Amino acid sequence: MFTWQRLMVKIFFLLTLFSQLLFHSFAQLNPDNITQYTEKDGLPGGRVNSILVDKYGFIWTGTINGLARFDGYEFKRFFSNPNDTSSIRGLVCWALFEDRKGQIWAATGQENLNVYNPVTRTFRHYDYKHLIDHPSNVEIGIYSIAQDLNGKIFLGVSTNFGEPISGALLYFDQKEDRVKKIENPGNYNIQNVISTTIDPKNNLWLLSYSGIFKIDPAGKIDSVPVLHSLYRKMGDNFNGILADKESHIWVVSNNGNLTDYDPLSKEVKVHLFPQKISKSFNFSTIAFDTAQNIWIGSDQGLAFFDKGKKVFSLFKQVNRKNAALSVINQLKIDSFGSVWAATASEGLLRYEEKIKLTSYSNFKRDKNSFTTGWANNLMQSTDGKIWVTTTNGSADGGLNELDTEGKLIHSIPYREINQDLVNIGGLSEVAPNEFIVSTNMGIYQFSVKTKKLKKISVSGYTEENYFISYFLTDSKQNQWLGTYNGLYRKSGNGEGFKKYDLSKLEGADGSSNEVTRIFESPKHGLWLLTNNGLFLYKYDTDKIERHGYDKAKGDIFLTQDINSFYEDSSGTAWVGTWQGGLSKYSVEERKIKTFSWNEGLPSMSIQGILGDEKNHTLWLSTFDGLCKFNMETGQTNTYSIADGIQSQLFADGSYLKTRNGLFIFGGAN
């Protein structure tokens, strides 16, 4: 806390103070969007002092009872072991920080500084207490950690019970591998650093008992008298500081004040929380979301400030106990925009715009419900309707018709079509409510209205008991068949299909002829997904080449069983495999980066991939839940049965993005 009786600063210039009262509108945050994690979920303690979202999306929590890492499912705790020098030291965790190398810095009591290496999974320890003059009965701790653009790490020191200490800013010397005291050419008495931030110009801003200071990249220290003067006049106390993308400095205070300081113009704007909402409101911490709007932690819960509309939002006061109204110690925002809050007594909170997940399953008592089994085929017809086939190895599977919004119209069990029909391997529309279907009995034309099958033959294609797994008509009006006996093509004016035998290609075998899906690329050609390899058909040469299997030609996929595929707008291929994770494939460079459990994926089997490039996101159906993946950061959010999905298990290749933007994934239920 900033104590103004200790403030000794002279004001060297005049400025214009712009204060702003905001009473014109007020919005409510939705308490239904809060998820609470407590000791029942594995959190070490109800009091969470600090929080960190690392580059993989893991949530690190510094609690009163130790450090833990949350992967979306469970908390992994880190225990202090006196017999293990590589374990963490200390219990109460005050500050967390991830450096540019991906190392996790954890400041704990009593007076410990730990650095976790995620590769070796070990901790290093650094001593710093000898650098701070303090009575032996006063415990100090690192309460703030920041790293500038040059990689220099700053450590802000304070005390557990607010006792004043001097020389409270330290830094880590990487060359000497030790903590050192910061040089102070201005001889400022910097007491108790409680919050720090780095602006885009690489200036360090620090909030201390002595006021707010700026340290430029050359090490010059300056005070900020305009803010000192303002808060002395208002009788306010600083609690948190943060720089935005425009290098403005934002400060929150105990009287519900949000201050915007422009270092270039020296202009100050104060946004006061409306008194008609709450006469007493203590702002404690601050964070920016992806739109650079401001989230504020307070002693009355989570608040939001829309920078464009200049409007505050708060949760509606309710009589029942509401975790959303807890005292908040710290806030962090993940790359998906979810707000994570460390609370003083109610554990860890996540505030997010809830994803609407609607599932369709079979209900035995409802004859009009979805047919049973795995949803293995998804298709959208020209009228916008969505068609889903299911199979469970019996005639209880079937064909399901949904409208353009995903509402079930009706279902047709296979037994109503033919008692011997148990599976549809692929389907293609030939006319409204008329389909070509590849079944366990052969290839037929099927009428939805009459529920009749008509046996047909495909010129150039011999069934030989092999399914047609996928139908595609490309932009050149070629017709393609992906089968379990190779690839077939019929040109726009051709009479029959030409076969491509993938098993004869280098490094291939019979399972390479099992072509499960086909994707046309506007940049590369025609991608072929098989049970043994990813292949690319080149239109200009009429040849097929294999990718990601030969180390002599580039990087390789962890496994060659290709389940799913997506090509983004840049031409980068995202490849989902069975038991081989998600791979980002740079086609021209033949470079592959694979994401696995270690990066937060719920499963190594990626069954389906759909892209939401506006939000830099891939949606992944896996063999253990549905996963949202940030293409820029690699961060993941996983959704389970508790969130409304049909099952933890999803079917390989069963995914569809409709023309009106619905994302659909088929699974075991």
Side-chain angles (χ1 to χ4, degrees):
M1 185 177 293
F2 182 89
T3 307
W4 291 107
Q5 287 81 352
R6 300 190 181 103
L7 176 62
M8 298 181 63
V9 62
K10 295 181 180 179
I11 299 176
F12 296 99
F13 51 86
L14 297 176
L15 69 147
T16 300
L17 176 64
F18 177 76
S19 297
Q20 193 171 14
L21 295 177
L22 300 171
F23 292 106
H24 35 283
S25 62
F26 178 75
Q28 296 283 355
L29 299 179
N30 185 358
D32 293 334
N33 290 352
I34 282 281
T35 303
Q36 182 182 19
Y37 303 92
T38 67
E39 289 96 334
K40 294 180 180 179
D41 305 293
L43 187 71
R47 178 182 176 87
V48 184
N49 299 314
S50 54
I51 191 170
L52 168 69
V53 181
D54 73 16
K55 64 181 180 180
Y56 297 120
F58 291 118
I59 311 301
W60 295 76
T61 55
T63 79
I64 196 172
N65 191 29
L67 175 66
R69 186 184 70 187
F70 184 54
D71 62 5
Y73 287 105
E74 60 185 2
F75 289 88
K76 172 182 171 55
R77 295 185 63 178
F78 296 86
F79 294 95
S80 178
N81 182 353
N83 298 317
D84 182 1
T85 58
S86 67
S87 69
I88 192 171
R89 292 178 183 171
L91 186 64
V92 181
C93 188
W94 295 111
L96 290 170
F97 180 76
E98 182 182 25
D99 66 23
R100 293 188 174 184
K101 296 178 182 178
Q103 299 179 120
I104 306 300
W105 294 64
T108 63
Q110 307 269 342
E111 301 171 336
N112 295 294
L113 177 60
N114 306 272
V115 181
Y116 178 72
N117 186 321
V119 177
T120 62
R121 300 181 183 181
T122 58
F123 287 90
R124 302 191 311 277
H125 315 96
Y126 296 96
D127 186 23
Y128 64 89
K129 54 183 175 291
H130 63 285
L131 300 172
I132 305 292
D133 292 329
H134 63 287
S136 59
N137 64 336
V138 172
E139 183 184 346
I140 64 173
I142 293 172
Y143 284 72
S144 180
I145 308 174
Q147 185 174 29
D148 69 14
L149 302 179
N150 298 322
K152 188 174 183 178
I153 293 176
F154 297 91
L155 309 166
V157 183
S158 189
T159 56
N160 280 0
F161 296 101
E163 302 94 340
I165 55 171
S166 298
L169 182 64
L170 309 175
Y171 77 99
F172 179 70
D173 190 316
Q174 296 189 48
K175 291 183 179 180
E176 298 185 20
D177 194 37
R178 64 188 179 98
V179 178
K180 300 171 71 174
K181 207 161 191 174
I182 201 79
E183 296 180 4
N184 189 350
N187 292 319
Y188 289 102
N189 180 24
I190 299 178
Q191 294 182 321
N192 300 64
V193 176
I194 59 176
S195 184
T196 54
T197 186
I198 304 290
D199 71 19
K201 297 178 181 178
N202 207 25
N203 298 301
L204 171 71
W205 296 78
L206 57 94
L207 174 59
S208 75
Y209 280 11
S210 310
I212 295 178
F213 295 89
K214 183 187 80 169
I215 303 178
D216 69 17
K220 181 184 177 184
I221 303 178
D222 287 312
S223 65
V224 188
V226 57
L227 293 178
H228 302 335
S229 174
L230 166 67
Y231 280 87
R232 182 190 292 174
K233 179 179 179 180
M234 299 177 70
D236 220 343
N237 294 330
F238 292 140
N239 287 326
I241 188 170
L242 199 61
D244 68 16
K245 290 183 177 180
E246 286 75 40
S247 294
H248 283 220
I249 305 302
W250 294 80
V251 188
V252 290
S253 74
N254 68 325
N255 283 341
N257 295 332
L258 173 64
T259 299
D260 171 13
Y261 171 61
D262 182 353
L264 186 62
S265 67
K266 303 297 188 294
E267 183 181 38
V268 177
K269 297 179 182 179
V270 179
H271 307 282
L272 305 179
F273 197 79
Q275 292 184 2
K276 68 176 182 179
I277 299 170
S278 177
K279 294 182 179 180
S280 175
F281 214 81
N282 183 352
F283 288 166
S284 57
T285 185
I286 182 174
F288 297 116
D289 63 20
T290 52
Q292 288 292 284
N293 289 311
I294 298 172
W295 293 85
I296 303 166
S298 79
D299 61 349
Q300 297 183 44
L302 189 63
F304 175 76
F305 180 71
D306 188 312
K307 287 173 65 177
K309 297 179 180 179
K310 305 295 189 295
V311 174
F312 283 98
S313 302
L314 186 67
F315 289 105
K316 182 180 179 181
Q317 298 287 338
V318 291
N319 293 326
R320 61 182 174 84
K321 185 178 180 180
N322 187 354
L325 304 177
S326 307
V327 176
I328 293 177
N329 292 328
Q330 196 173 57
L331 296 175
K332 295 294 180 183
I333 316 290
D334 67 26
S335 64
F336 294 117
S338 296
V339 183
W340 295 86
T343 75
S345 61
E346 301 297 327
L348 175 67
L349 306 181
R350 178 175 67 175
Y351 182 84
E352 60 177 340
E353 293 301 322
K354 293 287 187 179
I355 299 297
K356 183 180 180 181
L357 302 172
T358 303
S359 289
Y360 303 89
S361 296
N362 178 261
F363 298 96
K364 292 183 179 180
R365 296 180 181 179
D366 184 0
K367 295 182 179 180
N368 296 318
S369 72
F370 219 68
T371 56
T372 65
W374 289 78
N376 58 338
N377 256 306
L378 306 175
M379 190 200 74
Q380 186 170 29
S381 54
T382 53
D383 59 5
K385 291 179 181 178
I386 301 156
W387 301 86
V388 185
T389 67
T390 69
T391 181
N392 65 354
S394 73
D396 290 332
L399 178 66
N400 302 271
E401 179 184 0
L402 289 75
D403 66 18
T404 57
E405 298 302 320
K407 182 180 179 181
L408 181 64
I409 297 175
H410 78 292
S411 57
I412 308 173
Y414 289 144
R415 62 175 176 271
E416 295 183 8
I417 302 172
N418 188 299
Q419 288 295 330
D420 295 324
L421 178 62
V422 296
N423 187 20
I424 292 179
L427 72 162
S428 176
E429 184 184 24
V430 292
N433 294 306
E434 295 282 336
F435 301 99
I436 300 294
V437 293
S438 172
T439 77
N440 59 290
M441 304 185 304
I443 302 173
Y444 294 83
Q445 184 162 335
F446 173 70
S447 170
V448 176
K449 292 182 179 180
T450 65
K451 300 182 183 178
K452 298 294 184 182
L453 292 172
K454 178 183 177 182
K455 181 75 173 179
I456 63 172
S457 62
V458 178
S459 177
Y461 173 72
T462 304
E463 290 182 25
E464 300 174 350
N465 296 321
Y466 290 102
F467 270 161
I468 297 174
S469 54
Y470 201 74
F471 294 85
L472 174 72
T473 300
D474 66 19
S475 59
K476 299 175 174 48
Q477 299 307 305
N478 295 302
Q479 296 180 44
W480 296 89
L481 306 177
T483 81
Y484 271 41
N485 189 30
L487 176 71
Y488 291 79
R489 185 193 72 164
K490 178 182 177 182
S491 60
N493 54 3
E495 296 183 357
F497 282 87
K498 172 186 175 180
K499 179 180 178 180
Y500 297 82
D501 191 343
L502 278 67
S503 68
K504 295 181 179 180
L505 299 177
E506 181 182 353
D509 60 17
S511 56
S512 301
N513 256 351
E514 297 172 1
V515 182
T516 58
R517 291 292 183 272
I518 308 171
F519 292 90
E520 184 178 11
S521 164
K523 186 174 183 179
H524 301 297
L526 208 66
W527 290 103
L528 313 172
L529 280 59
T530 81
N531 287 330
N532 182 26
L534 177 67
F535 296 84
L536 180 63
Y537 170 82
K538 306 288 287 186
Y539 284 98
D540 55 350
T541 63
D542 192 33
K543 300 292 183 182
I544 298 174
E545 60 183 21
R546 190 171 180 179
H547 285 251
Y549 83 103
D550 187 349
K551 291 183 179 180
K553 297 180 180 179
D555 295 341
I556 64 173
F557 302 115
L558 291 186
T559 66
Q560 294 295 316
D561 191 343
I562 312 298
N563 280 354
S564 52
F565 182 90
Y566 176 76
E567 185 177 287
D568 65 28
S569 57
S570 70
T572 298
W574 296 85
V575 183
T577 65
W578 175 254
Q579 293 296 300
L582 173 69
S583 293
K584 180 181 180 181
Y585 180 40
S586 177
V587 180
E588 290 84 1
E589 298 175 352
R590 302 289 179 111
K591 295 291 185 182
I592 295 174
K593 179 179 180 180
T594 297
F595 300 86
S596 67
W597 281 311
N598 292 332
E599 287 73 44
L601 293 183
S603 169
M604 290 293 284
S605 294
I606 310 303
Q607 309 292 75
I609 308 174
L610 292 176
D612 175 13
E613 296 203 37
K614 179 181 178 181
N615 294 304
H616 315 291
T617 297
L618 297 179
W619 284 85
L620 313 173
S621 60
T622 80
F623 224 55
D624 197 3
L626 189 65
C627 180
K628 185 168 60 170
F629 175 89
N630 188 298
M631 290 188 283
E632 294 182 342
T633 66
Q635 184 179 330
T636 61
N637 274 5
T638 299
Y639 301 87
S640 66
I641 292 175
D643 300 297
I645 64 175
Q646 49 78 41
S647 163
Q648 292 294 104
L649 306 179
F650 285 86
D652 59 304
S654 184
Y655 52 107
L656 171 71
K657 181 179 181 179
T658 68
R659 290 189 288 275
N660 62 337
L662 294 179
F663 283 18
I664 308 178
F665 298 90
N669 193 30

